[in-house]
């Protein structure tokens, strides 16, 4: 299960999407997410699916790898869908005891599932094609106008870099601890909910201890090198926009226009 | 008997970071043997022994322990894991209990043993690795690095496995502590007749302790033979980033210099006996 977590996992490559400026990608993903919540019809979702598929293909990352990011959220998606299915008011489609499903509920549940899927697909595509360093550089740069009103942009970006940097490390550590405790006969699979929760203790305690130790070591190491904030720091890789980013913005604007068009169209034709 | 047939293991299969760590390994280890396992860093030693211990499932191939195939339908994996005790590399991080006693007792109590038996085993194992009774009520996090290591090893020894697997158990310990622990393990091996698999980078330790040695190179089985035979191949070992015990090196230099010393000497005791024999025969 651990290996399904693709969050913060970078898939190196040289595709068009990989080479976009991280700022472009972040802005595009913000637009993309906003657009997802604007879509009102299945026609719009079809357009969204085509656009997302084009992005995935042009990133040259194996589709299987991108889809793997969906696995950990399956449970969450299922619960959300059920809530929408049973708790939406409207025309009754099916009834059994106190359980009612409405036509509106069915549509809403499908929309919700699609939204969550595309949300995760879009964001995994961002982290898969952007190295953590580039990502945080981009965020810092985009947030830097806010420095004037006292937003600690550099510190926030630094914290994010460190957090992202330690995701794989902690996963590896968890894997090792699980192995060691399994070898000592720890049982994570059987028993009721409480005994299963208890079975996590031998994993969580060593994990926390090692995370604190790592944080401490890192703080000492940074202090030893006289690290201090963002003022006057220069970068090894300065961010630079190119003609590609023009294409990127063009594509996302075209996409937004198409979605708005589908909304108008489906409104005229009375489609859902 | 441990029988590995065509064992392969690939980390992060079908991704950009795919890594074949163990490739087509065939091995048969007898019960009661003291087996050494060596190979350069990243040669797949840890992966291999984790598969034997039933912690990691091979990507392909079969492992059978005393005729019972692991991961077969009729195989109770938990029971099999009690048969094999694995001390992982740098096992300190596995400590989590409030007291050293409770931590060592974690394995035995998972086995469902009685209170008295658990107590006996904890004292036995703590004693074996040189953890005094006064430390048993301390928190494991108050101990020194070396003591933590000993507690972690005791946690596995207390399960009294039939097959004891140790992954570089003495890396980072002081020389006295290292010799002491290895000596106790050898003693346990002889007294209880258990099978031991020891991963080590110390040619001296392997020479002194093992009956047979498995040599890994880039995930493949490079050599598997009696300890004496392995150390005859000093050129081959050096080529794959390993070496022979220093005393073997000394003997081969002596032989090159015209001293009529026999081949295949790999412990200091053997060298001393041989040199004494030669000196005696020269006198007479
Ligand atoms: N959890 C893991 N994820 C990915 N690759 C790994 C992991 N553990 C080990 N490897 C890789 O597998 C190979 C064999 O590793 P390992 O069995 O630990 O070797 P050894 O113990 O001989 O040093 C190495 O190249 C290592 O980088
Ligand atoms: Mg190793």
């Amino acid at each position: 299960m651990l290996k399904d977590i693709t969050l913060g996992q970078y898939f190196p490559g040289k595709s068009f999407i990989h080479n976009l400026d991280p700022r472009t990608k972040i802005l595009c993903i913000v637009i993309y997410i906003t657009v997802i919540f604007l879509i009102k019809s299945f026609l719009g979702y079809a357009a969204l699916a085509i656009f997302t598929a084009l992005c995935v293909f042009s990133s040259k990352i194996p589709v299987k790898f991108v889809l793997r990011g969906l696995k950990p959220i399956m449970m969450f998606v299922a619960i959300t869908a059920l809530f929408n299915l049973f708790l939406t008011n409207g025309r009754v489609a099916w009834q059994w005891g106190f359980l009612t499903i409405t036509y509106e509920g069915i549509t809403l549940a499908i929309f919700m599932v699609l939204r969550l899927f595309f949300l995760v697909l879009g964001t995994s595509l961002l982290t898969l094609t952007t190295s953590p360093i580039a990502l945080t550089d981009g965020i810092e740069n985009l947030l830097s106008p806010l420095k004037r009103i006292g937003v600690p942009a550099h510190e926030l970006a630094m914290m994010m870099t460190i957090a992202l940097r330690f995701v794989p490390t902690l996963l590896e550590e968890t894997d090792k601890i699980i192995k060691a405790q399994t070898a000592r006969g720890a049982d994570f699979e059987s028993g009721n909910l409480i005994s299963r929760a208890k079975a996590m203790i031998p994993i969580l305690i060593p994990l926390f201890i090692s995370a604190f130790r790592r944080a401490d070591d890192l703080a000492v190491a940074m202090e030893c090198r006289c690290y201090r904030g963002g003022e006057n720091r220069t970068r090894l890789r300065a961010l630079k926009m190119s003609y590609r980013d023009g294409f990127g913005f063009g594509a996302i604007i075209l996409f937004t226009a198409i979605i708005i068009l589908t909304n108008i169209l489906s409104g005229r034709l009375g489609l859902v | 008997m441990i029988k590995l047939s065509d064992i392969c293991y690939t980390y992060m299969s079908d991704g950009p970071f795919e890594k074949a760590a163990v490739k087509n390994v065939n091995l048969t280890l007898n019960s009661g043997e003291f087996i050494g396992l060596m190979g350069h860093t990243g040669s797949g030693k840890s992966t291999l022994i984790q598969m034997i211990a039933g912690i990691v499932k091979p990507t392909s191939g079969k492992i059978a322990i005393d005729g019972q195939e692991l991961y077969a339908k009729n195989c109770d994996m938990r029971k099999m894991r009690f048969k094999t005790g694995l001390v992982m590399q740098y096992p300190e991080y596995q400590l989590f209990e409030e007291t050293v006693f409770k931590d060592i007792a974690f394995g035995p109590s998972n086995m469902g043993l009685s209170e008295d038996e658990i107590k006996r085993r904890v004292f036995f194992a703590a004693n074996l690795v040189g953890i005094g009774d006064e430390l048993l009520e301390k928190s494991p996090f108050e101990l020194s690095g070396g003591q933590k290591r000993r507690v972690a090893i005791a946690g596995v020894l207390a399960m009294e496995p039939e097959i004891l697997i140790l992954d570089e158990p003495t890396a980072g310990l002081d020389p006295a502590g290292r010799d002491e622990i290895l000596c106790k393990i050898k003693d346990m091996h002889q007294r209880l007749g258990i099978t031991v698999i020891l991963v080590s980078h110390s040619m001296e330790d392997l020479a002194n302790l093992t009956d047979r040695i498995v040599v890994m190179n880039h995930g493949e089985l490079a050599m598997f033979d009696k300890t004496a035979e392995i150390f005859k191949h000093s050129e081959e070992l050096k080529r794959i980033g390993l070496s022979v015990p220093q005393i073997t090196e000394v003997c081969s230099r002596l032989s090159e210099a015209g001293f009529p010393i026999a081949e295949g000497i790999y412990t200091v005791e053997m060298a001393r006996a041989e040199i004494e024999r030669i000196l005696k025969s020269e006198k007479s």
Side-chain angles (χ1 to χ4, degrees):
Chain A
M1 197 201 91
L2 283 179
K3 68 174 182 210
D4 290 331
I5 299 177
T6 48
L7 175 79
Q9 222 183 67
Y10 174 51
F11 194 110
K14 288 195 165 56
S15 71
F16 175 77
I17 304 233
H18 280 89
N19 286 333
L20 283 174
D21 188 287
R23 287 169 296 181
T24 312
K25 280 189 265 190
I26 294 168
L27 289 176
C28 285
I29 206 79
V30 170
I31 297 172
Y32 177 88
I33 289 171
T34 320
V35 167
I36 287 179
F37 285 95
L38 289 179
I39 296 176
K40 289 201 194 105
S41 67
F42 283 112
L43 193 61
Y45 280 106
L48 175 68
I50 292 170
F51 180 72
T52 312
L54 283 176
C55 289
V56 171
F57 285 124
S58 63
S59 75
K60 299 213 177 88
I61 296 175
V63 177
K64 213 162 88 186
F65 206 82
V66 181
L67 291 179
R68 205 184 267 174
L70 292 175
K71 250 198 224 164
I73 62 150
M74 282 300 187
M75 194 64 194
F76 176 69
V77 170
I79 292 170
T80 317
L82 284 181
F83 268 104
N84 279 300
L85 199 57
F86 287 110
L87 299 178
T88 313
N89 294 322
R91 289 175 300 136
V92 176
W94 181 83
Q95 196 161 26
W96 186 78
F98 63 94
L99 292 174
T100 342
I101 294 180
T102 61
Y103 286 108
E104 284 77 2
I106 295 173
T107 328
L108 206 59
I110 295 175
F111 276 13
M112 219 50 214
V113 169
L114 287 172
R115 264 178 216 164
L116 287 171
F117 273 4
F118 284 107
L119 213 64
V120 172
L121 275 186
T123 40
S124 351
L125 199 59
L126 173 70
T127 53
L128 282 170
T129 58
T130 321
S131 74
I133 302 281
L135 198 60
T136 41
D137 275 359
I139 291 174
E140 182 180 352
N141 196 284
L142 289 172
L143 288 180
S144 56
L146 298 179
K147 271 183 193 160
R148 265 183 231 134
I149 57 164
V151 176
H154 174 78
E155 284 72 11
L156 285 176
M158 192 67 197
M159 273 158 61
M160 246 190 73
T161 315
I162 292 174
L164 283 176
R165 158 68 186 75
F166 278 101
V167 168
T169 311
L170 289 179
L171 282 179
E172 200 176 296
E173 197 105 352
T174 315
D175 189 53
K176 266 199 323 201
I177 296 170
I178 291 178
K179 280 179 184 166
Q181 308 300 26
T182 314
R184 295 211 282 165
D187 185 6
F188 308 115
E189 273 126 38
S190 55
N192 58 21
L193 208 61
I194 295 176
S195 63
R196 276 195 209 192
K198 264 194 185 154
M200 298 307 287
I201 294 175
I203 296 172
L204 291 179
I205 291 183
L207 191 61
F208 274 111
I209 287 174
S210 108
F212 283 130
R213 207 202 56 234
R214 275 179 199 285
D216 206 38
D217 289 352
L218 184 67
V220 171
M222 283 168 82
E223 211 143 351
C224 286
R225 299 185 201 177
C226 303
Y227 174 83
R228 43 156 214 100
E231 207 85 347
N232 299 330
R233 281 178 84 81
T234 53
R235 297 194 173 283
L236 185 59
R237 274 161 300 214
L239 297 175
K240 223 167 49 217
M241 294 270 182
S242 74
Y243 67 95
R244 278 194 215 92
D245 299 285
F247 282 130
F249 281 119
I252 199 84
I253 289 168
L254 189 66
F255 167 64
T256 313
I258 289 173
I259 293 296
I260 293 172
L261 204 68
T262 62
N263 274 352
I264 296 170
L265 259 178
S266 58
R268 287 262 172 83
L269 301 175
L271 299 168
V272 276
Chain B
M1 198 171 79
I2 305 168
K3 195 169 158 52
L4 309 187
S5 349
D6 281 326
I7 293 295
C8 297
Y9 191 82
T10 308
Y11 283 104
M12 304 197 253
S13 36
D14 58 63
F17 307 107
E18 187 172 284
K19 170 89 203 173
V22 174
K23 302 169 204 159
N24 283 314
V25 170
N26 288 288
L27 262 184
T28 306
L29 310 174
N30 299 324
S31 298
E33 268 188 310
F34 202 123
I35 298 284
L37 176 53
M38 61 189 195
H40 60 87
T41 307
S43 59
K45 306 181 296 293
S46 299
T47 311
L48 187 70
I49 56 172
Q50 283 168 15
M51 287 193 280
I52 296 175
I55 307 298
V56 165
K57 190 176 175 187
T59 311
S60 67
K62 283 191 186 122
I63 301 176
I65 293 178
D66 296 334
Q68 169 68 61
E69 189 188 319
L70 296 190
Y71 301 102
K73 272 204 191 101
N74 63 348
C75 179
D76 180 351
M77 279 312 290
R78 234 179 134 222
K79 237 188 203 148
M80 292 308 286
R81 285 183 196 132
F82 292 139
K83 210 166 171 162
T84 52
L86 171 65
V87 178
M88 304 247 302
Q89 207 165 356
Y90 301 107
E92 297 82 286
Y93 57 75
Q94 71 183 29
L95 305 176
F96 72 98
E97 277 284 12
E98 289 157 73
T99 66
V100 171
F101 182 95
K102 281 191 194 168
D103 207 284
I104 299 177
F106 180 66
S109 45
N110 281 332
M111 298 170 80
L113 302 170
S114 70
E115 286 290 320
D116 290 338
E117 178 64 10
I118 291 175
K119 226 172 178 172
R120 182 192 72 72
R121 288 188 175 200
V122 171
F123 282 111
F124 165 77
N127 180 24
L128 202 68
V129 297
I131 290 290
D133 290 356
E134 74 283 357
L135 291 179
L136 288 180
E137 289 312 313
K138 274 198 166 184
S139 158
F141 304 109
E142 288 171 25
L143 305 181
S144 74
Q147 287 171 324
K148 276 187 197 160
R149 174 77 57 87
R150 287 161 193 250
V151 172
I153 295 175
V156 174
L157 293 182
M159 297 168 74
E160 299 191 355
E162 286 169 41
I163 301 165
L164 177 63
I165 308 174
L166 302 138
D167 197 349
E168 302 185 31
T170 54
L173 286 187
D174 56 276
R178 201 187 64 205
D179 291 345
E180 189 193 335
I181 290 182
L182 290 178
C183 196
K184 293 281 174 62
I185 287 166
K186 180 78 185 171
D187 188 47
M188 197 173 160
H189 165 250
Q190 275 163 348
R191 243 173 345 113
L192 304 176
I194 58 174
T195 312
V196 179
I197 303 176
L198 173 70
V199 179
S200 176
H201 288 298
S202 160
M203 300 301 141
E204 276 70 28
D205 291 344
L206 290 173
N208 286 326
L209 297 166
T210 60
D211 302 319
R212 289 204 284 173
I213 293 183
V214 178
V215 181
M216 296 285 292
N217 184 31
H218 292 297
E220 284 168 11
L221 181 69
M223 290 187 227
F224 177 41
D225 212 332
K226 295 233 168 65
T227 306
E229 294 300 317
I230 291 287
F231 288 132
K232 279 182 188 164
H233 298 88
S234 95
E235 290 306 311
E236 212 171 328
L237 287 175
K238 276 179 195 154
R239 201 165 52 238
I240 58 179
L242 300 168
S243 67
V244 292
Q246 280 181 341
I247 194 70
T248 310
E249 196 68 40
V250 169
C251 290
S252 72
R253 295 273 176 87
L254 280 175
S255 157
E256 272 168 34
F259 195 72
I261 196 161
E263 254 187 67
I265 287 171
Y266 56 89
T267 66
V268 177
E269 278 69 47
M270 286 167 81
R272 183 162 62 201
E274 173 70 6
I275 291 171
E276 275 174 1
R277 187 188 62 77
I278 294 168
L279 290 181
K280 247 181 226 158
S281 69
E282 271 183 2
K283 245 184 232 165
S284 59

